[in-house]
Amino acid sequence: MIPAADITSAISQISRGFRRLKGIGDAANADTGEIVFDEWDWEVGVGLYGYFRDAEERDDQAAFGRLIRWYENQLARGLPRRQVNSTSPMLVFSLLAEKFEREDWKVIVRDWAQWIFDEMPRTEEGGYQHLVKERDNEGQLWDDTLFMAVLFMTTAGRLCERPDWIEDAHYQFLCHIRFLGDPASGLFFHGWTFLGRHNYARALWARGNAWITIAIPELFRLAPPEGAIARYLKEVYRTQVATLQALQNDEGMFHTLLDDTSSPVEASATAGIGYGILAGIREGLIDESFRVTAERSLNAILSRIDETGLLMDVSDGTPMGEDLDFYRRIKNLPTPYGQALGGLFLMESRRHAR
């Protein structure tokens, strides 16, 4: 068992690494104490969520201040085009608006969520189309959407007293699982298109699976489903985690393609899966027998935090691949989402180490 104090030290390191990143792979900044990432998009949105949860756990008002200043600077610059990935920073924005009773921010949250509910493109059967800044991705569903956009709809619904938004978020989980799930393995393909009706390369991509391993417990944390929906999501989640447990390598890592040991190991997915498993135990979705999988990953993640606080073996942002070799060739570089997933995993590990 790794002592909680050692995990706390690693969390501080990884937090410093997050603050230093000005862009994907751009870690040239000295630690100013502030969050310096330039762009409002998914990469920093995931990082902000990890940073928020750490600040919340420690009641760190200085960290909350850094988050608030980052958002205020971004608001002064002007918000970007609304799409799935630019919705990711709205998750923490809504949580801060709720925590600090910011009515001015609540107005922005309501307006953004109303746009998603009424105007954002949808696929057949009402799924959130994976609209991004680079392309519209007509007719496409991706794993990523559940974390990047759907979780925000739960916090927005809670903040703005809109149960219909929360219900729509619950439906999105059902819709995405229907088209992305692989019944044979219990895992999830990276994407689905209604234009041709297929799962592209049928890639069981590790970080895509991690988004789902994380998103289901976080849904139960933020806006718990009930009845048949809750039962269904618990069963889907438990099946996925049981399969993941069998695919973990001897070091405790997961490969970029989960079922292909010749593909590179990937740290953000490993940390995300580890966090998702511990979060599932916390939320009562799975029992303690699954803890060993997360514990095996902990040493592997700790060994990949360099002296500057950056998590190594994190793959670049990943568009939809047309063949499996695409995933094997993705380069590694420091990213804020790698820092965040590493930090979330370490925080949850520390809680369980006490």
Side-chain angles (χ1 to χ4, degrees):
M1 178 73 70
I2 297 173
D6 291 351
I7 300 174
T8 297
S9 176
I11 292 169
S12 296
Q13 280 183 277
I14 214 164
S15 177
R16 286 195 299 272
F18 169 65
R19 293 197 303 269
R20 289 179 57 232
L21 287 168
K22 189 172 183 179
I24 296 294
D26 181 0
N29 287 280
D31 183 6
T32 65
E34 296 297 309
I35 300 168
V36 298
F37 199 84
D38 260 351
E39 187 179 12
W40 174 298
D41 209 56
W42 75 274
E43 300 95 342
V44 75
V46 180
L48 295 168
Y49 187 70
Y51 202 77
F52 173 85
R53 287 302 184 197
D54 182 44
E56 181 182 55
E57 182 175 318
R58 296 182 295 106
D59 192 27
D60 186 338
Q61 297 303 311
F64 282 129
R66 293 185 191 105
L67 285 165
I68 290 168
R69 286 190 293 276
W70 187 86
Y71 279 106
E72 286 176 338
N73 289 336
Q74 292 292 325
L75 291 174
R77 295 172 65 180
L79 296 182
R81 175 196 180 207
R82 296 171 184 176
Q83 32 98 350
V84 166
N85 285 344
S86 64
T87 298
S88 178
M90 292 299 297
L91 175 59
V92 170
F93 188 71
S94 62
L95 290 168
L96 289 169
E98 181 179 53
K99 181 176 180 65
F100 293 100
E101 299 181 347
R102 291 287 300 261
E103 289 297 319
D104 53 337
W105 287 15
K106 182 178 175 180
V107 171
I108 298 169
V109 169
R110 181 186 296 111
D111 183 59
W112 196 296
Q114 192 71 60
W115 175 83
I116 290 176
F117 192 68
D118 290 337
E119 299 181 46
M120 191 169 79
R122 299 206 180 203
T123 66
E124 292 179 33
E125 301 196 18
Y128 290 177
Q129 180 174 307
H130 194 75
L131 176 72
V132 296
K133 64 185 178 183
E134 297 90 352
R135 62 193 72 85
D136 289 349
N137 291 330
E138 181 183 356
Q140 296 181 27
L141 300 174
W142 292 28
D143 296 327
D144 317 42
T145 305
L146 293 176
F147 189 99
M148 305 309 164
V150 177
L151 290 180
F152 162 67
M153 290 299 285
T154 69
T155 56
R158 191 174 70 193
L159 178 66
C160 299
E161 299 180 334
R162 288 290 301 267
D164 52 337
W165 293 353
I166 295 174
E167 182 180 3
D168 190 43
H170 291 168
Y171 174 77
Q172 293 306 316
F173 275 79
L174 301 180
C175 182
H176 280 70
I177 287 168
R178 166 165 149 74
F179 290 101
L180 299 175
D182 173 29
S185 67
L187 300 174
F188 295 90
F189 297 120
H190 187 181
W192 165 267
T193 176
F194 285 96
L195 307 182
R197 306 188 76 88
H198 57 76
N199 291 109
Y200 295 95
R202 296 176 63 84
L204 298 172
W205 176 48
R207 193 163 60 237
N209 273 266
W211 295 132
I212 295 177
T213 316
I214 295 166
I216 291 177
E218 292 306 294
L219 180 67
F220 279 85
R221 182 185 206 175
L222 296 168
E226 298 177 347
I229 295 176
R231 179 181 176 185
Y232 177 72
L233 292 179
K234 286 179 183 178
E235 293 296 337
V236 164
Y237 168 81
R238 182 182 174 88
T239 299
Q240 186 209 27
V241 169
T243 303
L244 289 169
Q245 194 170 44
L247 293 172
Q248 188 179 35
N249 74 13
D250 291 341
E251 187 191 5
M253 294 289 286
F254 292 92
H255 292 265
T256 296
L257 294 170
L258 288 165
D259 57 343
D260 177 7
T261 57
S262 72
S263 66
V265 294
E266 211 284 319
S268 70
T270 298
I273 290 167
Y275 171 74
I277 288 171
L278 293 178
I281 295 171
R282 182 193 67 219
E283 298 301 320
L285 306 183
I286 51 177
D287 62 39
E288 291 284 335
S289 67
F290 289 93
R291 183 187 304 277
V292 64
T293 306
E295 290 177 345
R296 292 178 64 210
S297 290
L298 182 56
N299 273 322
I301 292 300
L302 288 172
S303 71
R304 284 171 167 79
I305 302 172
D306 74 7
E307 66 280 0
T308 68
L310 295 173
L311 182 62
M312 300 291 101
D313 289 340
V314 173
S315 61
D316 198 358
T318 309
M320 194 60 57
E322 295 292 343
D323 57 53
L324 296 180
D325 274 341
F326 171 85
Y327 296 88
R328 298 183 184 106
R329 295 192 301 265
I330 300 166
K331 64 182 179 180
N332 290 339
L333 71 178
T335 71
Y337 53 84
Q339 301 301 115
L341 294 174
L344 281 168
F345 178 38
L346 294 176
M347 281 182 275
E348 202 64 33
S349 296
R350 179 178 60 188
R351 181 181 292 112
H352 287 263
R354 289 171 179 163

